[in-house]
Amino acid sequence: MTEFTCSQEIVSQARRNLNQEVWDYLTGGAESEMTMRRNRHALDSYAFLPRVLRDVSTIDPSGALLGHKLRIPVILAPIGSLQAIEKGGGASSCRAAARFGTIPMLSSITEPSLEESVASAEGPKMFQLYVRGDWDWIKAILKRVKDAGYDALAVTVDSSHYGIRERQLMNRYLPPSVKAQKDRHLQAAITWDLASRIRDEWGGRFMLKGVAHVEDAAMAVSRGVDAIYVSNHGGRQLDHCMGALDSLVEIAGAVKKKAELIVDGGFLRGTDVIKAIALGASAVAIGRLQGWALAAGGEAALLRSLELLEREIVNALGLLGVTSFAELSPAYVRKAEVIGPTHELSTFYHLPQRLV
Ligand SMILES: Cc1cc2nc3c(=O)[nH]c(=O)nc-3n(C[C@H](O)[C@H](O)[C@H](O)COP(=O)(O)O)c2cc1C
């Protein structure tokens, strides 16, 4: 495989490798895709305020999340049906994450099994849960997750109903995990009390994934979560939400470091990551970028994609006049008008149908 020189090449290769149905499953959002576009718009609408004449000859791009050191503050978001995108599925993500030095969060609806994924590589791993059964079912899966050695549990809470994803509907495509699953309606009945019960039963590090409202973030803190994962599911669930970075800013102001914050939604570049950390996140997660990289060339291309993000982060931290994430603060960014079309990589979201 020729080495990819930048993320654009990775995404182009993914586009060539995937058929229309899988491309649309991975890339599309819900309904008008406004939430998905706002994710990008929110990121694009912050400008940097760089500082000069500081010694930036050595840069440390590392981060930390829930007591784990990260080579860069970027983790892998949970993706269902990864096996439809790349045959190794979750195991490829685990191996790339371990080789690079970050943490994968495994979806409860991806293959191979949660045990096989964890066994495929060393290093910390997190598990993302969808509720698909009664309390006995929940207890049984939590035991499996614990026995397999996962470090943290995230319960996804933005998916009470499955988003209306028109690209999938028009293709008459259902991802394998959705086809196979029973009891999806149980996800709609999760409440704060059930989430707390799950946290108690799990007993380890715990987070809610898909929080977008400050009051829910405050409630999560009062219920003792370790981390809040700010997300609108990459714009695949409720349409017409705020961009995730804008939600992060509100939530960071309310949570005041009482819980760690993860954010995802539209992150494609090192500069995107830097903006989120400057604005209060501990780490950023990548969904589509991870899927595109796997589609472009499996584990090796995902590793390369993470290396490219690292290169972009080191470059931009230096140009901003800081030598580590610890030196960043909101003073390094300011809201600014977005000029021209949104980020060039996100134009890939909108590649015409049926074009390869
Ligand atoms: C193909 C695909 C499948 C996903 N499956 C899951 C899932 O099983 N569980 C979950 O909590 N989030 C799931 N998500 C949402 C991601 O975890 C993440 O929130 C989102 O992709 C972030 O936005 P981004 O794709 O713009 O980076 C999925 C996203 C994609 C693109």
Side-chain angles (χ1 to χ4, degrees):
M1 181 171 51
T2 340
E3 193 148 77
F4 294 110
T5 62
C6 61
S7 302
Q8 296 208 45
E9 281 189 350
I10 293 183
V11 185
S12 302
Q13 189 60 48
R15 184 67 192 91
R16 285 191 288 274
N17 290 357
L18 292 178
N19 66 32
Q20 189 68 42
E21 284 74 19
V22 178
W23 170 265
D24 282 337
Y25 163 61
L26 172 59
T27 306
E31 300 186 26
S32 74
E33 302 189 336
M34 182 57 81
T35 305
M36 183 171 93
R37 284 201 299 282
R38 285 221 179 96
N39 280 342
R40 263 317 318 166
H41 191 271
L43 283 158
D44 289 335
S45 71
Y46 276 92
F48 286 123
L49 301 169
R51 303 299 306 269
V52 296
L53 293 175
R54 296 167 170 184
D55 181 356
V56 287
S57 37
T58 309
I59 310 258
D60 170 11
S62 66
L65 179 66
L66 293 174
H68 295 290
K69 186 161 177 171
L70 304 171
R71 181 162 150 192
I72 56 174
V74 175
I75 65 167
L76 304 182
I79 299 185
S81 301
L82 256 183
Q83 71 279 11
I85 295 165
E86 197 266 332
K87 59 180 183 334
S92 297
S93 291
C94 288
R95 283 194 291 263
R99 280 171 68 190
F100 179 76
T102 187
I103 305 178
M105 185 180 281
L106 271 296
S107 165
S108 56
I109 54 165
T110 211
E111 287 183 2
S113 70
L114 67 91
E115 288 85 0
E116 274 175 78
S117 289
V118 108
S120 64
E122 299 285 306
K125 292 172 195 68
M126 299 176 172
F127 188 79
Q128 172 271 323
L129 180 71
Y130 281 131
V131 171
R132 294 289 189 265
D134 60 10
W135 182 247
D136 285 342
W137 180 92
I138 294 172
K139 272 201 333 204
I141 193 162
L142 292 181
K143 181 171 184 321
R144 281 176 61 200
V145 173
K146 212 179 297 178
D147 290 348
Y150 285 84
D151 289 277
L153 178 76
V155 175
T156 294
V157 293
D158 61 10
S159 303
S160 55
H161 295 259
Y162 190 69
I164 298 175
R165 304 177 191 166
E166 295 192 0
R167 300 194 201 197
Q168 282 173 229
L169 291 171
M170 288 189 292
N171 291 330
R172 279 138 184 95
Y173 177 82
L174 274 183
S177 57
V178 173
K179 264 195 213 154
Q181 279 191 97
K182 294 188 213 98
D183 295 329
R184 269 179 40 212
H185 64 282
L186 291 169
Q187 184 74 21
I190 309 179
T191 58
W192 284 101
D193 285 346
L194 182 61
S196 295
R197 211 174 156 201
I198 292 174
R199 183 207 57 202
D200 292 345
E201 178 71 22
W202 163 250
R205 295 205 172 96
F206 181 79
M207 65 189 98
L208 298 178
K209 174 175 185 286
V211 175
H213 198 292
V214 271
E215 288 180 17
D216 283 340
M219 183 86 111
V221 168
S222 74
R223 298 230 169 194
V225 301
D226 300 289
I228 297 172
Y229 189 147
V230 179
S231 173
N232 52 42
H233 219 103
R236 300 164 71 84
Q237 287 297 110
L238 182 62
D239 200 12
H240 298 286
C241 288
M242 276 169 50
L245 188 70
D246 289 330
S247 304
L248 173 87
V249 171
E250 288 189 5
I251 288 173
V255 165
K256 297 200 190 337
K257 301 197 184 336
K258 288 188 210 115
E260 291 196 46
L261 299 176
I262 303 171
V263 62
D264 73 17
F267 286 84
L268 302 172
R269 288 278 190 193
T271 45
D272 298 334
V273 176
I274 291 173
K275 290 175 188 181
I277 307 299
L279 290 166
S282 290
V284 160
I286 50 168
R288 291 179 181 83
L289 187 61
Q290 175 194 168
W292 286 330
L294 286 173
E299 175 191 334
L302 179 52
L303 175 62
R304 179 70 183 148
S305 175
L306 289 162
E307 287 167 358
L308 290 171
L309 275 178
E310 180 183 41
R311 185 179 79 187
E312 291 171 357
I313 287 171
V314 168
N315 180 275
L317 285 177
L319 291 171
L320 262 179
V322 299
T323 59
S324 74
F325 280 103
E327 292 169 32
L328 280 179
S329 75
Y332 284 86
V333 292
R334 181 183 296 164
K335 272 277 184 190
E337 188 191 351
V338 178
I339 297 176
T342 191
H343 194 293
E344 81 285 0
L345 274 184
S346 65
T347 58
F348 285 100
Y349 297 160
H350 307 297
L351 277 185
Q353 300 262 318
R354 316 277 161 223
L355 177 121
V356 179

